[in-house]
Amino acid sequence: MERTTKELSMADIAGWGSALVTFGLIQGALYLKAYWGHFGLDPFQYVAVSEIALAGLAGIGLALGMMFVAILLGDWLGNKLTSIGPDRRLLGFLAPAGLFLGLGAIIWWANAWAVLLGALLTVVCLAAVSIAPTVPAAIKKSPWLTYAVVMLVYVSIASNWLGAERAKKITRGEETRVANIRIESGSLSGLSLIGRLGDSYAFWDKARKATLLLPASELRSLEIGRGPLAETRGTD
C-alpha cells in the first residue's frame, strides 16, 4: 500500500511538473513575442525552447508571489470590512469605494489598461463557465476554478502586456542604461541593449529608430553605463 501511494505521489509530482513547464513555456512565449515583436524580431528564430520556458517560469514565480500577497491582503481587508457594524454604514461604504478608486488611480498612473481588461475578461470567463450547461458540475464547484481561470486568462494577458511595455520603455528613450560597442569597422555609442538572441546581441538605436543585431563574434568590446552617453559615432 505504501509503495502504491508513493508511486501515485511521484506520478502526481511529474504531472504537475509537466503542467508547470508547459505553462511556463506558453507564458514565456507570450512575453518574448510581445517584447521582441515590438522591435521587429521573432524570438523563435534565435531562442531555444528551454530559454523560453525559463523566462516563463521566472514570470510564474513572480505572479504566484504577487497572487499570494494579494490573497493575504484581500483576506485581511475582507475581515476588516465585514467587521464594520451597522452603526458605521458610512465607513462601510467609503472603505470599498476608496479601495476601488485607489486601484483605478494606480491603473491610470501605470497606464495598465490591459491589466484591467484582463481582470474584466477573467470575471466574464468565470461567469461563462458557471452558467454554461455543458460544463460538468464538478468543475463549476471546484475551488481551483478561479485560480485556473486567473492563470490562463489574466496572467496570459499580463505577460503579453509586460513584454510590450518593457519594449516601449526602451523605444521611448526611458531606459537609463546605455551601451557603447566596438566592432572591427568602428564604434557605436548611445545605444540601448535590448538583449541577446542566441549568438547575437540586439541594440536599439534611438537616433535612427532602428534595431541593430550584431553577432557576438563581431563585438570587440561592450560597455554599459548609466545616464546619457555622447551619441557620437566614429572609427578607430
Side-chain angles (χ1 to χ4, degrees), residues 80-99:
K80 289 293 184 181
L81 293 176
T82 54
S83 63
I84 297 177
D87 56 331
R88 306 174 67 183
R89 294 181 180 178
L90 181 60
L91 179 61
F93 172 77
L94 292 178
L99 175 63

Side-chain angles (χ1 to χ4, degrees), residues 96-153:
L99 175 63
F100 286 109
L101 288 176
L103 291 175
I106 293 175
I107 291 174
W108 177 82
W109 174 75
N111 196 24
W113 300 109
V115 176
L116 178 61
L117 177 62
L120 294 176
L121 185 59
T122 302
V123 174
V124 171
C125 291
L126 283 172
V129 171
S130 300
I131 64 177
T134 57
V135 178
I139 296 179
K140 296 180 180 180
K141 297 179 180 180
S142 175
W144 297 100
L145 176 61
T146 302
Y147 298 100
V149 174
V150 168
M151 294 297 286
L152 293 175
V153 179

Side-chain angles (χ1 to χ4, degrees), residues 6-207:
K6 184 177 296 184
E7 290 178 354
L8 291 176
S9 178
M10 292 300 295
D12 291 339
I13 293 174
W16 281 105
S18 300
L20 184 62
V21 172
T22 302
F23 186 73
L25 177 62
I26 296 173
Q27 298 306 316
L30 290 174
Y31 178 89
L32 293 177
K33 186 68 175 179
Y35 178 78
W36 290 105
H38 187 75
F39 300 104
L41 297 172
D42 186 0
F44 302 105
Q45 295 179 347
Y46 306 92
V47 182
V49 174
S50 58
E51 296 181 17
I52 297 177
L54 182 60
L57 290 174
I60 288 176
L62 178 61
L64 291 178
M66 296 294 291
M67 289 174 64
F68 180 72
V69 173
I71 290 173
L72 294 179
L73 181 61
D75 185 62
W76 178 80
L77 287 175
N79 291 333
K80 289 293 184 181
L81 293 176
T82 54
S83 63
I84 297 177
D87 56 331
R88 306 174 67 183
R89 294 181 180 178
L90 181 60
L91 179 61
F93 172 77
L94 292 178
L99 175 63
F100 286 109
L101 288 176
L103 291 175
I106 293 175
I107 291 174
W108 177 82
W109 174 75
N111 196 24
W113 300 109
V115 176
L116 178 61
L117 177 62
L120 294 176
L121 185 59
T122 302
V123 174
V124 171
C125 291
L126 283 172
V129 171
S130 300
I131 64 177
T134 57
V135 178
I139 296 179
K140 296 180 180 180
K141 297 179 180 180
S142 175
W144 297 100
L145 176 61
T146 302
Y147 298 100
V149 174
V150 168
M151 294 297 286
L152 293 175
V153 179
Y154 180 78
V155 176
S156 298
I157 294 176
S159 297
N160 186 83
W161 175 77
L162 287 173
E165 282 297 309
R166 177 72 181 109
K168 290 178 182 178
K169 181 179 179 181
I170 296 176
T171 55
R172 287 195 300 259
E174 300 176 3
E175 179 64 44
T176 59
R177 293 182 293 270
V178 290
N180 283 337
I181 63 174
R182 181 176 298 174
I183 55 179
E184 293 182 356
S185 59
S187 61
L188 299 173
S189 304
L191 303 176
S192 296
L193 177 61
I194 301 174
R196 181 165 179 169
L197 287 174
D199 295 330
S200 300
Y201 285 93
F203 301 89
W204 172 253
D205 191 340
K206 182 182 177 182

